[in-house]
Amino acid sequence: MTIIVTGGAGFIGSNFVFHMLDKYPDYRIVCLDKLTYAGNLSTLAPVMDNPNFRFVKADICDREAVNRLFEEEHPDIVVNFAAESHVDRSIEDPGIFLQTNILGTATLMDACRKYGITRYHQVSTDEVYGDLPLDRPDLFFTEETPIHTSSPYSSSKAGADLLVLAYHRTYGLPVTISRCSNNYGPYHFPEKLIPLMIANCLNDKPLPVYGEGLNVRDWLYVEDHCKAIDLIIHKGRVGEVYNGGGRDGRRNIDIGKLICKELGKPETLITHVTDRKGHDMRYAIDPTKIHNELGWLPETKFADGIKKTIAWYLENREWWETIISGEYQNYYEKMYGNR
Ligand code: NAD
Ligand code: TDX
């Protein structure tokens, strides 16, 4: 079995590469990644010498490079993690989101049609459903919830999802889609809420909370997401969408307080800054379908996962300190300097 994993040098993709190499010693895992600002080859260092692993630096939008890889590897399965993934960046500059997230997805699926695969899996997001009101805790996203996006990022992911379902209906491509809630855990790029707050807290810098910080996210430990995708590509029904979530909704302000508490820092580090434009209020996933069909349930509770995550950032300072000492400084100044 050969699996092409795109975006495997990023946060979730790298965790998935580790999970698959560990669980399936007879599988070949080929990572295709452009190594954008969000991709780190150092993350993959532990598996670079593994004979079952190959890394290829390429853009999923580069048809020639993608086709060449299919001719060389004859993949059985393609799992597409590659994307521009940060909502705030999409608000600043949507173009690359449309390019990578929509056209890149089409390019990959065209290669799948041309060379033949047993499964194309699209890693999507709960953000395609838009948001839920704070005063309706009884509401959850199901796979039947209408697509209703808020940001250029979520719109580009929704566009890709529609294309994936269209390639299934029109060309009979054997596809599946997963829509998971916010992930957290090792190798999470420090522009996202949890790793940004951990890094700032450790450096005694302000923890920027957008607006009042009442927005709720449904946090899922990254390993649980990887297990969900593993189940879907092996046992999921072709043409289906599967939601995955932690059923562990938390307000952003409470995440900040918890991280201060765990690291023994004062809550006065929390600083309210200008809100994100079009900021989604609440995400909450109903994972009944994947539970009933595939037996998946998140195994790591947020209370344990956040402790493991903080411990990882303490033990792997070099990984994130290298990131935040480079180009990230310019990004941070631009996004937070006058906020
Ligand atoms: P990430 O930004 O950490 O990693 C993205 C990876 O894709 C990087 O390694 C980057 O170099 C690579 N990439 C970007 N553009 C590329 C291109 N044109 N060609 C090849 N490689 C390219 O993202 P992540 O948080 O790991 O998210 C992975 C996927 O999961 C994305 O599709 C995202 O939409 C989805 N998702 C993320 C979350 C979350 O909470 N992070 C939740 C649900 C779904
Ligand atoms: O500095 C910050 N302050 C703050 O209050 C940052 C970076 C974020 N926030 C808020 C915005 C959100 O309400 O925290 C929440 C989480 O923000 P992000 O970490 O940027 O994640 P989110 O916008 O929810 O999107 C994430 O989950 C869904 C991923 O980045 C997406 O790729 C995924 O699809």
Side-chain angles (χ1 to χ4, degrees):
M1 172 79 79
T2 297
I3 305 183
I4 291 185
V5 177
T6 69
F11 165 44
I12 309 174
S14 60
N15 278 283
F16 184 73
V17 166
F18 299 145
H19 168 85
M20 295 301 281
L21 285 171
D22 194 46
K23 185 162 169 201
Y24 303 101
D26 54 340
Y27 281 18
R28 178 166 171 78
I29 306 293
V30 179
C31 170
L32 182 158
D33 197 297
K34 183 183 175 183
L35 295 180
T36 66
Y37 78 93
N40 281 288
L41 210 44
S42 69
T43 301
L44 294 171
V47 295
M48 275 303 190
D49 293 333
N50 185 325
N52 294 340
F53 179 73
R54 177 183 174 199
F55 177 82
V56 177
K57 183 175 186 302
D59 188 331
I60 56 166
C61 303
D62 181 344
R63 200 168 287 275
E64 220 174 277
V66 168
N67 285 351
R68 198 178 321 122
L69 189 62
F70 273 69
E71 278 167 21
E72 287 168 8
E73 294 290 349
H74 309 288
D76 301 287
I77 297 177
V78 173
V79 183
N80 182 25
F81 289 92
E84 289 292 334
S85 70
H86 192 31
V87 173
D88 292 322
R89 287 184 190 255
S90 82
I91 294 167
E92 290 294 301
D93 187 7
I96 187 69
F97 285 75
L98 311 186
Q99 178 76 20
T100 290
N101 299 1
I102 301 178
L103 296 178
T105 297
T107 307
L108 284 173
M109 290 194 298
D110 284 341
C112 290
R113 285 179 58 213
K114 182 170 174 170
Y115 296 101
I117 38 92
T118 58
R119 182 69 61 88
Y120 173 86
H121 182 75
Q122 178 73 1
V123 182
S124 185
T125 169
D126 61 355
E127 296 201 18
V128 301
Y129 299 121
D131 64 350
L132 297 165
L134 288 182
D135 61 358
R136 290 293 307 272
D138 55 313
L139 294 182
F140 292 85
F141 298 136
T142 72
E143 291 78 3
E144 273 70 51
T145 302
I147 301 283
H148 187 83
T149 56
S150 312
S151 71
Y153 162 71
S154 54
S155 304
S156 68
K157 294 295 290 185
D161 282 14
L162 295 177
L163 263 183
V164 171
L165 295 173
Y167 270 56
H168 173 60
R169 171 141 179 186
T170 306
Y171 306 117
L173 194 70
V175 306
T176 38
I177 297 178
S178 52
R179 294 181 180 146
C180 271
S181 57
N182 286 61
N183 283 215
Y184 68 104
Y187 301 107
H188 202 181
F189 195 87
E191 67 185 352
K192 305 285 174 65
L193 181 73
I194 287 182
L196 184 144
M197 286 194 160
I198 295 173
N200 282 15
C201 215
L202 287 170
N203 288 329
D204 297 307
K205 285 180 62 180
L207 308 192
V209 167
Y210 298 166
E212 291 183 76
L214 303 180
N215 310 64
V216 171
R217 295 293 181 266
D218 178 358
W219 294 97
L220 178 66
Y221 194 62
V222 63
E223 205 174 275
D224 282 322
H225 187 180
C226 294
K227 287 179 182 168
I229 295 172
D230 177 358
L231 275 172
I232 295 168
I233 60 177
H234 287 102
K235 297 187 180 143
R237 285 184 295 134
V238 162
E240 293 293 317
V241 174
Y242 294 91
N243 286 352
R247 274 202 193 273
D248 218 344
R250 309 254 164 173
R251 301 186 311 178
N252 296 338
I253 185 79
D254 298 329
I255 301 278
K257 287 180 183 171
L258 183 61
I259 290 173
C260 288
K261 184 165 166 248
E262 290 289 335
L263 288 171
K265 303 283 181 168
E267 284 184 12
T268 48
L269 282 178
I270 294 173
T271 310
H272 292 272
V273 300
T274 310
D275 210 347
R276 173 184 279 173
K277 291 185 182 114
H279 199 171
D280 281 338
M281 282 318 296
R282 173 174 167 258
Y283 302 145
I285 283 269
D286 176 355
T288 303
K289 179 175 174 180
I290 189 169
H291 177 60
N292 286 349
E293 281 192 24
L294 306 178
W296 180 87
L297 270 183
E299 291 166 25
T300 301
K301 293 259 170 288
F302 188 78
D304 302 323
I306 193 71
K307 283 194 171 65
K308 282 203 273 186
T309 303
I310 291 173
W312 188 89
Y313 279 83
L314 282 167
E315 283 158 21
N316 293 274
R317 285 190 87 117
E318 206 189 325
W319 183 85
W320 57 270
E321 278 177 346
T322 306
I323 290 170
I324 66 172
S325 65
E327 177 57 27
Y328 179 87
Q329 288 290 339
N330 297 335
Y331 164 81
Y332 201 86
E333 185 51 36
K334 185 175 162 209
M335 299 301 262
Y336 296 95
N338 293 313
R339 201 156 184 160

